Amino acid sequence: MDVLSVTPLLLLLSFLGCCAGQDLLPPGPVEGILGKSVTLKTLVDKPVYDFIIWNYSDGTEQTNVATTSKAGVKVNDPYKGRVTVNQTNGYLYLDGLLDSDRGDYSINIISAEEGTKTGEIHLRVLGESLL
């Protein structure tokens, strides 16, 4: 592909509102303490959304943590009882941190009006496991 054929595609993507991480999440990493809680904060207040999707990746596979819509929050089984999502600002609250919680978390804010915004942040879990 030459530059002239790529330019319309880039303009279309920017027009549709697809952007990766720009002003969506603060710079990372975020640090949490084993067994305690941590909040992964967004930089948006009252985002316009149809869905807010938080995912986790340990570097090999990606797992859905929680999906938020106007109907409520659906938390994936491994996170039930430990995760909540603030429907006003998209914050992900994770309680009872485990060693296995360390890794990369991504957020997708999907809106018919504003397109899709994505961001990624790394969570470090400090402390030693007794296992």
Side-chain angles (χ1 to χ4, degrees):
M1 275 188 166
D2 62 14
V3 174
L4 292 177
S5 63
V6 174
T7 303
L9 177 62
L10 294 175
L11 288 173
L12 178 62
L13 286 175
S14 65
F15 177 73
L16 292 175
C18 180
C19 62
Q22 297 177 346
D23 298 328
L24 193 54
L25 295 174
V30 172
E31 294 181 342
I33 297 173
L34 190 65
K36 301 294 183 181
S37 62
V38 69
T39 301
L40 302 181
K41 297 179 180 181
T42 66
L43 296 175
V44 294
D45 185 38
K46 299 180 183 174
V48 175
Y49 68 90
D50 295 307
F51 298 98
I52 298 176
I53 302 169
W54 278 99
N55 292 313
Y56 164 79
S57 175
D58 63 2
T60 57
E61 63 181 314
Q62 189 168 358
T63 304
N64 176 255
V65 176
T67 301
T68 303
S69 69
K70 298 299 181 191
V73 179
K74 181 179 183 282
V75 177
N76 200 3
D77 284 339
Y79 297 94
K80 282 188 178 172
R82 297 193 315 124
V83 164
T84 57
V85 178
N86 183 309
Q87 291 181 275
T88 301
N89 54 26
Y91 287 16
L92 178 75
Y93 176 81
L94 182 56
D95 193 27
L97 283 177
L98 306 171
D99 280 333
S100 58
D101 291 326
R102 72 182 78 231
D104 295 316
Y105 287 78
S106 62
I107 183 174
N108 294 292
I109 298 179
I110 302 168
S111 165
E113 294 175 34
E114 297 182 3
T116 300
K117 297 177 183 176
T118 64
E120 189 173 288
I121 196 159
H122 184 76
L123 173 64
R124 285 193 264 194
V125 178
L126 308 174
E128 293 185 30
S129 175
L130 300 176
L131 299 178

